[in-house]
């Protein structure tokens, strides 16, 4: 499959603006949803791989990356509705929704609130487990997870956190008050829950619980990886995602 030139789209709906970068052609359409303090650029390595298998849409949520700060911080549900409006405007559905960290919360809400727009769901390092829905334990887990990381991961992550602006605390609050476990039982598409085996932010018991709560979900780990498994050596995550899609297609045949 030949790779097309990137297309940058600025999209505004209900007072909030996102930036989308689209690469590749055809189907499936992969929708990449970043986590707290991040932006679409952290997925560059993953985009390079997935764009040879379909069309990839990597977004900057409002107030992250190149997207302007919204007048009010969006909830996970409102962000999902914004993504749904964007997908409809571009006639992209149904997509393979791939969320990382906080992005898994948005991807899950997109799936249950707009089921016609999502055909497969991938949750990489899903947040937030009920035992750590406070700022202090989340920051402590993140620091422990990032301490041994490679300079590339630290550079990209630090750069994006700085770009997230002065309202990062409000964004963290929106993430922490959301209850993804209420949405998981309503997911009705094939789902993969993917975790770095050494992830300090998302404990194994919580991630396996997520997989058990979503009907028919699969659970996999990436050995030797931590929370930023899609940023650090993304090929390992990509291989598992593509294999999952192949199995799901075989099951639907």
């Amino acid at each position: 499959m030949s790779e097309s030139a990137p297309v940058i789209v600025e999209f505004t709906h209900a007072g909030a603006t996102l930036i989308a970068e689209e690469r590749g052609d055809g189907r499936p359409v992969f929708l990449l949803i970043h986590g707290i303090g991040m932006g679409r650029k952290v997925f560059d390595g993953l985009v390079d791989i997935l764009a040879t298998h379909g069309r990839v849409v990597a977004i900057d949520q409002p107030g992250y990356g190149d997207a302007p700060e919204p007048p009010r911080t969006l909830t996970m549900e409102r962000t999902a509705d914004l993504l749904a409006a964007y997908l409809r405007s571009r006639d992209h559905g149904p997509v393979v929704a791939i969320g990382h960290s906080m992005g898994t919360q948005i991807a899950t809400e997109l799936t249950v609130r707009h089921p016609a727009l999502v055909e497969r769901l991938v949750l990489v390092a899903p947040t937030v487990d009920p035992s750590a829905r406070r700022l202090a334990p989340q920051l402590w887990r993140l620091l422990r997870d990032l301490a041994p990381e490679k300079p590339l991961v630290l550079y990209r992550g630090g750069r994006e956190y700085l770009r997230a602006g002065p309202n990062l605390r409000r964004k963290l609050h929106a993430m922490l008050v959301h209850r993804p476990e209420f949405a998981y039982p309503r997911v009705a598409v094939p789902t993969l829950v993917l975790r770095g085996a050494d992830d300090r932010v998302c404990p194994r018991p919580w991630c396996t619980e997520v997989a058990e709560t979503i009907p028919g979900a699969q659970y996999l780990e990436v050995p030797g990886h931590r929370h930023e498994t899609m940023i650090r050596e993304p090929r390992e995550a990509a291989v598992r995602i593509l294999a999952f899609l192949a199995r799901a297609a075989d099951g639907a045949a």
Side-chain angles (χ1 to χ4, degrees):
M1 180 179 298
S2 61
E3 183 181 340
S4 61
V7 175
I8 307 298
V9 181
E10 181 176 313
F11 177 78
T12 301
H13 174 76
T17 299
L18 63 77
I19 303 294
E21 181 173 341
E22 304 182 1
R23 286 177 52 189
D25 292 297
R27 302 200 66 85
V29 177
F30 302 94
L31 174 67
L32 304 185
I33 309 172
H34 62 78
I36 187 79
M38 297 285 108
R40 74 183 193 274
K41 290 301 182 183
V42 299
F43 292 138
D44 281 352
L46 185 63
V47 170
D48 288 341
I49 299 169
L50 295 182
T52 65
H53 295 270
R55 190 162 189 84
V56 184
V57 181
I59 61 105
D60 286 336
Q61 299 175 43
Y64 295 94
D66 295 326
E69 193 72 35
R72 296 177 58 188
T73 299
L74 272 62
T75 63
M76 303 297 100
E77 294 88 347
R78 283 192 63 206
T79 304
D81 292 344
L82 172 63
L83 291 181
Y86 173 76
L87 293 174
R88 291 190 181 101
S89 75
R90 300 286 291 174
D91 195 26
H92 278 333
V95 301
V96 177
I98 304 175
H100 174 247
S101 196
M102 182 190 75
T104 64
Q105 298 172 238
I106 297 165
T108 300
E109 290 293 344
L110 176 66
T111 302
V112 301
R113 293 168 71 86
H114 306 277
L117 293 177
V118 179
E119 61 180 348
R120 304 285 186 267
L121 177 62
V122 180
L123 305 178
V124 183
T127 52
V128 177
D129 60 290
S131 67
R133 286 189 176 134
R134 300 186 315 280
L135 180 59
Q138 283 297 304
L139 290 177
W140 174 240
R141 285 182 178 184
L142 183 61
L143 288 172
R144 290 174 64 211
D145 190 85
L146 288 176
E149 276 291 5
K150 291 183 177 181
L152 174 62
V153 174
L154 297 174
Y155 167 72
R156 287 180 175 174
R159 178 188 63 186
E160 294 302 328
Y161 267 91
L162 289 173
R163 296 176 72 193
N167 296 320
L168 185 58
R169 189 178 184 89
R170 291 199 322 218
K171 296 168 184 175
L172 278 164
H173 176 75
M175 178 186 80
L176 293 174
V177 300
H178 180 246
R179 297 293 185 265
E181 65 270 23
F182 295 160
Y184 291 147
R186 297 159 52 202
V187 172
V189 299
T191 301
L192 171 66
V193 178
L194 188 61
R195 174 182 178 270
D198 300 326
D199 190 338
R200 300 291 186 90
V201 179
C202 300
R204 179 180 290 117
W206 164 246
C207 293
T208 56
E209 180 181 338
V210 171
E212 291 166 359
T213 305
I214 298 173
Q218 302 176 37
Y219 175 76
L220 292 175
E221 292 192 351
V222 182
H225 282 228
R226 288 178 282 276
H227 190 63
E228 309 300 337
T229 186
M230 285 205 295
I231 302 171
R232 174 182 180 259
E233 301 172 5
R235 184 166 299 279
E236 294 294 330
V239 165
R240 287 161 175 79
I241 291 169
L242 293 171
F244 158 71
L245 295 180
R247 289 193 300 270
D250 290 341

